[in-house]
PDB file of all heavy atoms in Angstrom:
ATOM      1  N   ALA H   1      25.249 -92.124  36.235  1.00 79.00           N
ATOM      2  CA  ALA H   1      25.323 -91.925  37.691  1.00 79.00           C
ATOM      3  C   ALA H   1      24.271 -92.754  38.407  1.00 79.00           C
ATOM      4  O   ALA H   1      23.633 -92.290  39.350  1.00 79.00           O
ATOM      5  CB  ALA H   1      25.154 -90.444  38.013  1.00 79.00           C
ATOM      6  N   VAL H   2      24.067 -93.987  37.948  1.00 80.00           N
ATOM      7  CA  VAL H   2      23.092 -94.885  38.564  1.00 80.00           C
ATOM      8  C   VAL H   2      23.699 -96.277  38.650  1.00 80.00           C
ATOM      9  O   VAL H   2      24.554 -96.649  37.824  1.00 80.00           O
ATOM     10  CB  VAL H   2      21.769 -94.936  37.757  1.00 80.00           C
ATOM     11  CG1 VAL H   2      21.054 -93.591  37.815  1.00 80.00           C
ATOM     12  CG2 VAL H   2      22.039 -95.349  36.311  1.00 80.00           C
ATOM     13  N   PRO H   3      23.281 -97.081  39.632  1.00 84.00           N
ATOM     14  CA  PRO H   3      23.764 -98.472  39.714  1.00 84.00           C
ATOM     15  C   PRO H   3      23.121 -99.326  38.621  1.00 84.00           C
ATOM     16  O   PRO H   3      21.913 -99.567  38.630  1.00 84.00           O
ATOM     17  CB  PRO H   3      23.323 -98.923  41.113  1.00 84.00           C
ATOM     18  CG  PRO H   3      22.913 -97.678  41.844  1.00 84.00           C
ATOM     19  CD  PRO H   3      22.453 -96.722  40.807  1.00 84.00           C
ATOM     20  N   VAL H   4      23.902 -99.786  37.675  1.00 86.00           N
ATOM     21  CA  VAL H   4      23.399-100.574  36.556  1.00 86.00           C
ATOM     22  C   VAL H   4      23.269-102.034  36.981  1.00 86.00           C
ATOM     23  O   VAL H   4      24.225-102.642  37.479  1.00 86.00           O
ATOM     24  CB  VAL H   4      24.331-100.449  35.336  1.00 86.00           C
ATOM     25  CG1 VAL H   4      23.839-101.340  34.202  1.00 86.00           C
ATOM     26  CG2 VAL H   4      24.415 -99.000  34.886  1.00 86.00           C
ATOM     27  N   VAL H   5      22.077-102.588  36.782  1.00 85.00           N
ATOM     28  CA  VAL H   5      21.815-103.984  37.128  1.00 85.00           C
ATOM     29  C   VAL H   5      22.062-104.900  35.943  1.00 85.00           C
ATOM     30  O   VAL H   5      22.681-105.951  36.067  1.00 85.00           O
ATOM     31  CB  VAL H   5      20.371-104.156  37.638  1.00 85.00           C
ATOM     32  CG1 VAL H   5      20.065-105.617  37.926  1.00 85.00           C
ATOM     33  CG2 VAL H   5      20.143-103.302  38.876  1.00 85.00           C
ATOM     34  N   ALA H   6      21.572-104.514  34.777  1.00 86.00           N
ATOM     35  CA  ALA H   6      21.714-105.350  33.586  1.00 86.00           C
ATOM     36  C   ALA H   6      21.610-104.482  32.340  1.00 86.00           C
ATOM     37  O   ALA H   6      20.982-103.413  32.354  1.00 86.00           O
ATOM     38  CB  ALA H   6      20.644-106.447  33.549  1.00 86.00           C
ATOM     39  N   VAL H   7      22.243-104.937  31.268  1.00 89.00           N
ATOM     40  CA  VAL H   7      22.203-104.248  29.986  1.00 89.00           C
ATOM     41  C   VAL H   7      21.863-105.268  28.907  1.00 89.00           C
ATOM     42  O   VAL H   7      22.477-106.333  28.826  1.00 89.00           O
ATOM     43  CB  VAL H   7      23.554-103.574  29.652  1.00 89.00           C
ATOM     44  CG1 VAL H   7      23.522-102.977  28.248  1.00 89.00           C
ATOM     45  CG2 VAL H   7      23.880-102.501  30.677  1.00 89.00           C
ATOM     46  N   ILE H   8      20.864-104.936  28.098  1.00 88.00           N
ATOM     47  CA  ILE H   8      20.453-105.798  26.988  1.00 88.00           C
ATOM     48  C   ILE H   8      20.665-105.032  25.685  1.00 88.00           C
ATOM     49  O   ILE H   8      20.209-103.886  25.557  1.00 88.00           O
ATOM     50  CB  ILE H   8      18.975-106.219  27.108  1.00 88.00           C
ATOM     51  CG1 ILE H   8      18.764-107.028  28.385  1.00 88.00           C
ATOM     52  CG2 ILE H   8      18.543-107.030  25.892  1.00 88.00           C
ATOM     53  CD1 ILE H   8      17.325-107.433  28.609  1.00 88.00           C
ATOM     54  N   ILE H   9      21.360-105.649  24.743  1.00 89.00           N
ATOM     55  CA  ILE H   9      21.574-105.037  23.429  1.00 89.00           C
ATOM     56  C   ILE H   9      20.350-105.338  22.569  1.00 89.00           C
ATOM     57  O   ILE H   9      20.085-106.486  22.211  1.00 89.00           O
ATOM     58  CB  ILE H   9      22.856-105.579  22.775  1.00 89.00           C
ATOM     59  CG1 ILE H   9      24.075-105.208  23.620  1.00 89.00           C
ATOM     60  CG2 ILE H   9      23.001-105.034  21.361  1.00 89.00           C
ATOM     61  CD1 ILE H   9      25.387-105.726  23.069  1.00 89.00           C
ATOM     62  N   ASP H  10      19.589-104.289  22.243  1.00 90.00           N
ATOM     63  CA  ASP H  10      18.356-104.453  21.476  1.00 90.00           C
ATOM     64  C   ASP H  10      18.588-104.477  19.973  1.00 90.00           C
ATOM     65  O   ASP H  10      17.936-105.227  19.248  1.00 90.00           O
ATOM     66  CB  ASP H  10      17.365-103.324  21.818  1.00 90.00           C
ATOM     67  CG  ASP H  10      16.958-103.341  23.276  1.00 90.00           C
ATOM     68  OD1 ASP H  10      16.827-104.441  23.837  1.00 90.00           O
ATOM     69  OD2 ASP H  10      16.775-102.253  23.858  1.00 90.00           O
ATOM     70  N   ASP H  11      19.507-103.641  19.510  1.00 90.00           N
ATOM     71  CA  ASP H  11      19.695-103.534  18.058  1.00 90.00           C
ATOM     72  C   ASP H  11      21.084-102.985  17.768  1.00 90.00           C
ATOM     73  O   ASP H  11      21.581-102.111  18.493  1.00 90.00           O
ATOM     74  CB  ASP H  11      18.628-102.614  17.441  1.00 90.00           C
ATOM     75  CG  ASP H  11      18.791-102.480  15.937  1.00 90.00           C
ATOM     76  OD1 ASP H  11      18.527-103.452  15.219  1.00 90.00           O
ATOM     77  OD2 ASP H  11      19.204-101.395  15.485  1.00 90.00           O
ATOM     78  N   ILE H  12      21.710-103.524  16.714  1.00 90.00           N
ATOM     79  CA  ILE H  12      23.018-103.048  16.265  1.00 90.00           C
ATOM     80  C   ILE H  12      22.898-102.643  14.799  1.00 90.00           C
ATOM     81  O   ILE H  12      22.461-103.453  13.964  1.00 90.00           O
ATOM     82  CB  ILE H  12      24.102-104.125  16.425  1.00 90.00           C
ATOM     83  CG1 ILE H  12      24.273-104.509  17.901  1.00 90.00           C
ATOM     84  CG2 ILE H  12      25.435-103.633  15.853  1.00 90.00           C
ATOM     85  CD1 ILE H  12      25.287-105.611  18.128  1.00 90.00           C
ATOM     86  N   ASP H  13      23.260-101.401  14.504  1.00 88.00           N
ATOM     87  CA  ASP H  13      23.230-100.888  13.133  1.00 88.00           C
ATOM     88  C   ASP H  13      24.671-100.672  12.676  1.00 88.00           C
ATOM     89  O   ASP H  13      25.327 -99.704  13.074  1.00 88.00           O
ATOM     90  CB  ASP H  13      22.452 -99.570  13.085  1.00 88.00           C
ATOM     91  CG  ASP H  13      22.159 -99.131  11.649  1.00 88.00           C
ATOM     92  OD1 ASP H  13      22.935 -99.495  10.751  1.00 88.00           O
ATOM     93  OD2 ASP H  13      21.146 -98.420  11.449  1.00 88.00           O
ATOM     94  N   PHE H  14      25.161-101.604  11.854  1.00 89.00           N
ATOM     95  CA  PHE H  14      26.543-101.515  11.399  1.00 89.00           C
ATOM     96  C   PHE H  14      26.712-100.424  10.347  1.00 89.00           C
ATOM     97  O   PHE H  14      27.834 -99.963  10.112  1.00 89.00           O
ATOM     98  CB  PHE H  14      26.998-102.857  10.830  1.00 89.00           C
ATOM     99  CG  PHE H  14      27.226-103.909  11.873  1.00 89.00           C
ATOM    100  CD1 PHE H  14      26.259-104.870  12.132  1.00 89.00           C
ATOM    101  CD2 PHE H  14      28.402-103.934  12.614  1.00 89.00           C
ATOM    102  CE1 PHE H  14      26.453-105.838  13.106  1.00 89.00           C
ATOM    103  CE2 PHE H  14      28.605-104.901  13.587  1.00 89.00           C
ATOM    104  CZ  PHE H  14      27.624-105.849  13.835  1.00 89.00           C
ATOM    105  N   VAL H  15      25.630-100.021   9.692  1.00 88.00           N
ATOM    106  CA  VAL H  15      25.720 -98.975   8.681  1.00 88.00           C
ATOM    107  C   VAL H  15      25.909 -97.614   9.352  1.00 88.00           C
ATOM    108  O   VAL H  15      26.807 -96.847   9.011  1.00 88.00           O
ATOM    109  CB  VAL H  15      24.465 -98.972   7.788  1.00 88.00           C
ATOM    110  CG1 VAL H  15      24.528 -97.810   6.782  1.00 88.00           C
ATOM    111  CG2 VAL H  15      24.335-100.298   7.050  1.00 88.00           C
ATOM    112  N   ARG H  16      25.046 -97.318  10.319  1.00 88.00           N
ATOM    113  CA  ARG H  16      25.141 -96.042  11.041  1.00 88.00           C
ATOM    114  C   ARG H  16      26.109 -96.122  12.227  1.00 88.00           C
ATOM    115  O   ARG H  16      26.389 -95.111  12.859  1.00 88.00           O
ATOM    116  CB  ARG H  16      23.763 -95.625  11.550  1.00 88.00           C
ATOM    117  CG  ARG H  16      22.757 -95.353  10.446  1.00 88.00           C
ATOM    118  CD  ARG H  16      21.429 -94.903  11.035  1.00 88.00           C
ATOM    119  NE  ARG H  16      20.459 -94.568  10.022  1.00 88.00           N
ATOM    120  CZ  ARG H  16      19.640 -95.438   9.454  1.00 88.00           C
ATOM    121  NH1 ARG H  16      19.706 -96.717   9.817  1.00 88.00           N
ATOM    122  NH2 ARG H  16      18.779 -95.066   8.531  1.00 88.00           N
ATOM    123  N   GLU H  17      26.588 -97.325  12.512  1.00 86.00           N
ATOM    124  CA  GLU H  17      27.501 -97.565  13.631  1.00 86.00           C
ATOM    125  C   GLU H  17      26.889 -97.079  14.946  1.00 86.00           C
ATOM    126  O   GLU H  17      27.474 -96.279  15.689  1.00 86.00           O
ATOM    127  CB  GLU H  17      28.857 -96.885  13.382  1.00 86.00           C
ATOM    128  CG  GLU H  17      29.620 -97.472  12.206  1.00 86.00           C
ATOM    129  CD  GLU H  17      31.024 -96.897  12.098  1.00 86.00           C
ATOM    130  OE1 GLU H  17      31.300 -95.909  12.805  1.00 86.00           O
ATOM    131  OE2 GLU H  17      31.831 -97.436  11.327  1.00 86.00           O
ATOM    132  N   THR H  18      25.701 -97.587  15.225  1.00 91.00           N
ATOM    133  CA  THR H  18      25.012 -97.267  16.476  1.00 91.00           C
ATOM    134  C   THR H  18      24.537 -98.567  17.130  1.00 91.00           C
ATOM    135  O   THR H  18      24.371 -99.596  16.460  1.00 91.00           O
ATOM    136  CB  THR H  18      23.799 -96.351  16.234  1.00 91.00           C
ATOM    137  OG1 THR H  18      22.882 -96.994  15.337  1.00 91.00           O
ATOM    138  CG2 THR H  18      24.233 -95.013  15.664  1.00 91.00           C
ATOM    139  N   THR H  19      24.308 -98.479  18.421  1.00 91.00           N
ATOM    140  CA  THR H  19      23.826 -99.627  19.198  1.00 91.00           C
ATOM    141  C   THR H  19      22.714 -99.156  20.133  1.00 91.00           C
ATOM    142  O   THR H  19      22.913 -98.211  20.908  1.00 91.00           O
ATOM    143  CB  THR H  19      24.962-100.251  20.038  1.00 91.00           C
ATOM    144  OG1 THR H  19      26.064-100.566  19.186  1.00 91.00           O
ATOM    145  CG2 THR H  19      24.468-101.516  20.739  1.00 91.00           C
ATOM    146  N   ARG H  20      21.564 -99.799  20.052  1.00 92.00           N
ATOM    147  CA  ARG H  20      20.454 -99.486  20.943  1.00 92.00           C
ATOM    148  C   ARG H  20      20.460-100.488  22.093  1.00 92.00           C
ATOM    149  O   ARG H  20      20.482-101.706  21.875  1.00 92.00           O
ATOM    150  CB  ARG H  20      19.113 -99.536  20.211  1.00 92.00           C
ATOM    151  CG  ARG H  20      18.967 -98.449  19.156  1.00 92.00           C
ATOM    152  CD  ARG H  20      17.645 -98.576  18.413  1.00 92.00           C
ATOM    153  NE  ARG H  20      16.527 -98.453  19.331  1.00 92.00           N
ATOM    154  CZ  ARG H  20      15.982 -97.286  19.682  1.00 92.00           C
ATOM    155  NH1 ARG H  20      16.462 -96.147  19.195  1.00 92.00           N
ATOM    156  NH2 ARG H  20      14.966 -97.248  20.508  1.00 92.00           N
ATOM    157  N   VAL H  21      20.432 -99.984  23.320  1.00 91.00           N
ATOM    158  CA  VAL H  21      20.504-100.844  24.494  1.00 91.00           C
ATOM    159  C   VAL H  21      19.402-100.471  25.476  1.00 91.00           C
ATOM    160  O   VAL H  21      18.903 -99.340  25.490  1.00 91.00           O
ATOM    161  CB  VAL H  21      21.878-100.726  25.200  1.00 91.00           C
ATOM    162  CG1 VAL H  21      22.989-101.192  24.287  1.00 91.00           C
ATOM    163  CG2 VAL H  21      22.124 -99.297  25.666  1.00 91.00           C
ATOM    164  N   SER H  22      19.010-101.444  26.285  1.00 88.00           N
ATOM    165  CA  SER H  22      18.081-101.237  27.394  1.00 88.00           C
ATOM    166  C   SER H  22      18.854-101.448  28.689  1.00 88.00           C
ATOM    167  O   SER H  22      19.432-102.520  28.897  1.00 88.00           O
ATOM    168  CB  SER H  22      16.898-102.204  27.313  1.00 88.00           C
ATOM    169  OG  SER H  22      16.130-101.960  26.145  1.00 88.00           O
ATOM    170  N   VAL H  23      18.846-100.440  29.537  1.00 88.00           N
ATOM    171  CA  VAL H  23      19.625-100.463  30.773  1.00 88.00           C
ATOM    172  C   VAL H  23      18.665-100.545  31.955  1.00 88.00           C
ATOM    173  O   VAL H  23      17.805 -99.672  32.126  1.00 88.00           O
ATOM    174  CB  VAL H  23      20.505 -99.205  30.901  1.00 88.00           C
ATOM    175  CG1 VAL H  23      21.370 -99.287  32.154  1.00 88.00           C
ATOM    176  CG2 VAL H  23      21.357 -99.020  29.656  1.00 88.00           C
ATOM    177  N   ARG H  24      18.800-101.577  32.754  1.00 84.00           N
ATOM    178  CA  ARG H  24      18.015-101.684  33.991  1.00 84.00           C
ATOM    179  C   ARG H  24      18.890-101.265  35.157  1.00 84.00           C
ATOM    180  O   ARG H  24      19.989-101.777  35.333  1.00 84.00           O
ATOM    181  CB  ARG H  24      17.517-103.123  34.195  1.00 84.00           C
ATOM    182  CG  ARG H  24      16.673-103.299  35.473  1.00 84.00           C
ATOM    183  CD  ARG H  24      16.030-104.663  35.522  1.00 84.00           C
ATOM    184  NE  ARG H  24      15.057-104.841  34.468  1.00 84.00           N
ATOM    185  CZ  ARG H  24      13.792-104.410  34.536  1.00 84.00           C
ATOM    186  NH1 ARG H  24      13.373-103.758  35.624  1.00 84.00           N
ATOM    187  NH2 ARG H  24      12.964-104.615  33.546  1.00 84.00           N
ATOM    188  N   TYR H  25      18.371-100.313  35.942  1.00 83.00           N
ATOM    189  CA  TYR H  25      19.143 -99.781  37.060  1.00 83.00           C
ATOM    190  C   TYR H  25      18.248 -99.614  38.276  1.00 83.00           C
ATOM    191  O   TYR H  25      17.017 -99.575  38.164  1.00 83.00           O
ATOM    192  CB  TYR H  25      19.790 -98.440  36.687  1.00 83.00           C
ATOM    193  CG  TYR H  25      18.806 -97.360  36.315  1.00 83.00           C
ATOM    194  CD1 TYR H  25      18.399 -96.403  37.254  1.00 83.00           C
ATOM    195  CD2 TYR H  25      18.273 -97.286  35.033  1.00 83.00           C
ATOM    196  CE1 TYR H  25      17.501 -95.414  36.924  1.00 83.00           C
ATOM    197  CE2 TYR H  25      17.364 -96.302  34.698  1.00 83.00           C
ATOM    198  CZ  TYR H  25      16.979 -95.366  35.640  1.00 83.00           C
ATOM    199  OH  TYR H  25      16.066 -94.393  35.301  1.00 83.00           O
ATOM    200  N   THR H  26      18.851 -99.521  39.440  1.00 79.00           N
ATOM    201  CA  THR H  26      18.104 -99.418  40.685  1.00 79.00           C
ATOM    202  C   THR H  26      17.908 -97.955  41.055  1.00 79.00           C
ATOM    203  O   THR H  26      18.724 -97.098  40.736  1.00 79.00           O
ATOM    204  CB  THR H  26      18.839-100.133  41.830  1.00 79.00           C
ATOM    205  OG1 THR H  26      20.128 -99.529  42.007  1.00 79.00           O
ATOM    206  CG2 THR H  26      19.005-101.619  41.504  1.00 79.00           C
ATOM    207  N   VAL H  27      16.788 -97.696  41.745  1.00 72.00           N
ATOM    208  CA  VAL H  27      16.489 -96.363  42.248  1.00 72.00           C
ATOM    209  C   VAL H  27      16.029 -96.499  43.690  1.00 72.00           C
ATOM    210  O   VAL H  27      15.466 -97.530  44.089  1.00 72.00           O
ATOM    211  CB  VAL H  27      15.400 -95.665  41.413  1.00 72.00           C
ATOM    212  CG1 VAL H  27      15.890 -95.375  40.012  1.00 72.00           C
ATOM    213  CG2 VAL H  27      14.132 -96.510  41.347  1.00 72.00           C
ATOM    214  N   ASN H  28      16.239 -95.452  44.475  1.00 65.00           N
ATOM    215  CA  ASN H  28      15.767 -95.491  45.852  1.00 65.00           C
ATOM    216  C   ASN H  28      14.319 -95.025  45.913  1.00 65.00           C
ATOM    217  O   ASN H  28      13.760 -94.522  44.937  1.00 65.00           O
ATOM    218  CB  ASN H  28      16.651 -94.634  46.769  1.00 65.00           C
ATOM    219  CG  ASN H  28      16.770 -93.201  46.271  1.00 65.00           C
ATOM    220  OD1 ASN H  28      15.813 -92.600  45.806  1.00 65.00           O
ATOM    221  ND2 ASN H  28      17.972 -92.640  46.365  1.00 65.00           N
ATOM    222  N   ASP H  29      13.684 -95.183  47.066  1.00 53.00           N
ATOM    223  CA  ASP H  29      12.277 -94.868  47.212  1.00 53.00           C
ATOM    224  C   ASP H  29      11.983 -93.395  46.981  1.00 53.00           C
ATOM    225  O   ASP H  29      10.958 -93.030  46.419  1.00 53.00           O
ATOM    226  CB  ASP H  29      11.791 -95.260  48.614  1.00 53.00           C
ATOM    227  CG  ASP H  29      11.822 -96.769  48.817  1.00 53.00           C
ATOM    228  OD1 ASP H  29      11.911 -97.476  47.802  1.00 53.00           O
ATOM    229  OD2 ASP H  29      11.768 -97.219  49.976  1.00 53.00           O
ATOM    230  N   GLU H  30      12.888 -92.489  47.400  1.00 51.00           N
ATOM    231  CA  GLU H  30      12.632 -91.071  47.235  1.00 51.00           C
ATOM    232  C   GLU H  30      12.587 -90.693  45.760  1.00 51.00           C
ATOM    233  O   GLU H  30      11.733 -89.918  45.327  1.00 51.00           O
ATOM    234  CB  GLU H  30      13.722 -90.263  47.942  1.00 51.00           C
ATOM    235  CG  GLU H  30      13.657 -90.301  49.467  1.00 51.00           C
ATOM    236  CD  GLU H  30      14.154 -91.618  50.035  1.00 51.00           C
ATOM    237  OE1 GLU H  30      14.780 -92.392  49.269  1.00 51.00           O
ATOM    238  OE2 GLU H  30      13.925 -91.880  51.224  1.00 51.00           O
ATOM    239  N   VAL H  31      13.512 -91.253  44.972  1.00 48.00           N
ATOM    240  CA  VAL H  31      13.515 -90.965  43.541  1.00 48.00           C
ATOM    241  C   VAL H  31      12.270 -91.533  42.888  1.00 48.00           C
ATOM    242  O   VAL H  31      11.658 -90.922  42.012  1.00 48.00           O
ATOM    243  CB  VAL H  31      14.784 -91.541  42.877  1.00 48.00           C
ATOM    244  CG1 VAL H  31      14.726 -91.394  41.371  1.00 48.00           C
ATOM    245  CG2 VAL H  31      16.009 -90.838  43.434  1.00 48.00           C
TER     246      VAL H  31
END
């Protein structure tokens, strides 16, 4: 529920079938 600016894939584990990602998103001043 946030505006996503960019997503970077940090790590992919084909054995456990998981993906670690870094998500950059915008926030307003109040938050």
Side-chain angles (χ1 to χ4, degrees):
V2 293
V4 177
V5 177
V7 175
I8 298 178
I9 297 179
D10 298 324
D11 180 71
I12 298 178
D13 191 333
F14 287 99
V15 176
R16 297 182 177 87
E17 294 187 349
T18 59
T19 306
R20 294 177 60 87
V21 297
S22 296
V23 183
R24 181 171 294 277
Y25 61 97
T26 60
V27 294
N28 55 40
D29 294 344
E30 288 75 13
V31 173

